Amino acid sequence: DIVMTQSPDSLAVSLGDRATINCKSSQTVLLRSNDKNYLAWYQQRPGQPPKLLIYWASTRESGVPDRFSGSGSGTDFTLTISSLESEDAAVYYCQQYYNTPPTFGQGTKVEIK
Amino acid sequence: QVRLVESGGGVVQPGRSLRLSCTASGFTFNNYAMHWVRQAPGKGLQWVAVIPYDGSIKYYADSVNGRFIVSRDNSKNTVYLQMNSLRADDTAVYYCAKDRGYSASWDNYFDSWGQGTLVTVSS
């Protein structure tokens, strides 16, 4: 199985500041034949199910604010929240879908400072 | 809009069985693979199983393979998870989730999730 490791486990960010979450996979999730990274990001607010934010490492899901962006390739990826809002307090997960089973990172908790 | 509603959770003794259901609406159910994903209390997400649009092939996490069975009834827009030989470490909220991919090519990422149903395995 591909192991996904996120860092940090938690971070506290002031409103309006940038939040950066890293995700590393134990093997590449880049498929050379189509040049796509099989990597998604989800947001889970307290008491809620996860919500898809980003797929193909950098494609924003419809309706997701543009302050959320994804980057990276191969084994190293980043989710950036450019200007944190109060509603962004949540746990964020990366997930690879390059192989079955799909696997998730352990989650990164974003709190408001 | 897409709606997924899970049911069937509860408290069950170790070694017993439970069947979860997930009823879908707001999309053409028989065109999409469906997944089960679980989350132990205070923990992260773990994929459990997938069933493609036609139910032809099923894949399971190693931790549930041989104990859990995923199935679907496209006439009822419902996917099921039969859980047998339950163990304490199966305690979790179980979510059903819709795959993004269409028809025969499922993508293994999840664009809609239900609210989840809690399964507690305890004597």
Side-chain angles (χ1 to χ4, degrees), chain A residues 27-32 34-38 73-74 77 98:
Chain A
Q27 65 186 76
T28 188
V29 298
L30 170 64
L31 188 60
R32 295 283 185 192
N34 61 9
D35 199 30
K36 285 187 172 183
N37 287 283
Y38 285 59
S73 186
F77 301 90
Y98 184 88

Side-chain angles (χ1 to χ4, degrees), chain A residues 29-104:
Chain A
V29 298
L30 170 64
L31 188 60
R32 295 283 185 192
S33 60
N34 61 9
D35 199 30
K36 285 187 172 183
N37 287 283
Y38 285 59
L39 191 284
W41 289 96
Y42 300 86
Q43 175 194 63
Q44 187 176 31
R45 295 184 177 122
Q48 295 296 312
K51 172 188 173 184
L52 177 65
L53 295 177
I54 302 280
Y55 56 97
W56 300 127
S58 61
T59 302
R60 202 178 302 115
E61 176 71 339
S62 175
V64 172
D66 61 7
R67 64 181 181 274
F68 291 92
S69 63
S71 63
S73 186
T75 61
D76 293 280
F77 301 90
T78 300
L79 175 70
T80 301
I81 310 172
S82 60
S83 178
L84 197 76
E85 298 192 7
S86 56
E87 65 190 35
D88 300 335
V91 179
Y92 293 83
Y93 296 93
C94 62
Q95 178 234 328
Q96 67 79 21
Y97 48 102
Y98 184 88
N99 276 352
T100 298
T103 49
F104 296 87

